[in-house]
Amino acid sequence: QVQLVESGGGLVQAGGSLRISCAASGRTSSSSMMGWFRQAPGKERRFVAAISRSGGSTYYGDSLKGRFTISRDNAKNTVYLQMNSLKPEDTAVYYCAAKSGLVPTTAPDLYGYWGQGTQVTVSS
């Protein structure tokens, strides 16, 4: 089992920045691919970004690359999502997810481990 705990969410003004974190514990060997998803009220959970175990490969959802940056520190078993130039439409609960294997995917159903989520609210 892998336990994921997100932190760092909060309220930020439009145009501002925020970095959220996800600390993994337990059987972290099962968390080769780490990802971030977000879910706004009344909407489906959507892919934000993913990163390979080495950190050498990153993947982003449509139109997010350039504003969002995913990174990881394997020594700390932590994944980060740096969010810049935030917009009100970025408001959502952000979830950290993990999966084993090396194949990247944007499909939430293929991630076996999830955190509880952290709220990010961007005010206009």
Side-chain angles (χ1 to χ4, degrees), residues 2-120:
V2 177
Q3 293 77 43
L4 303 173
V5 178
E6 301 97 333
S7 61
L11 175 65
V12 62
Q13 288 188 333
S17 297
L18 199 64
R19 189 178 79 160
I20 56 178
S21 303
C22 171
S25 61
R27 191 177 178 184
T28 54
S29 59
S30 296
S31 57
S32 297
M33 187 69 65
M34 300 288 294
W36 287 98
F37 290 77
R38 67 184 183 183
Q39 188 167 20
K43 296 189 176 181
E44 293 183 348
R45 191 168 297 190
R46 297 188 63 182
F47 173 76
V48 173
I51 188 167
S52 62
R53 171 170 285 279
S54 69
S57 297
T58 57
Y59 312 88
Y60 293 93
D62 294 343
S63 75
L64 295 178
K65 188 174 183 179
R67 291 197 302 125
F68 289 13
T69 303
I70 189 171
S71 62
R72 67 190 295 169
D73 183 339
N74 287 335
K76 297 181 179 179
N77 289 324
T78 300
V79 176
Y80 306 96
L81 185 68
Q82 177 69 43
M83 302 180 288
N84 299 328
S85 302
L86 283 163
K87 306 174 182 179
E89 51 263 42
D90 293 319
T91 295
V93 177
Y94 283 71
Y95 295 92
C96 178
K99 65 180 291 290
S100 58
L102 303 177
V103 179
T105 178
T106 63
D109 291 349
L110 297 182
Y111 286 79
Y113 305 99
W114 291 87
Q116 82 288 353
T118 186
Q119 176 71 46
V120 172

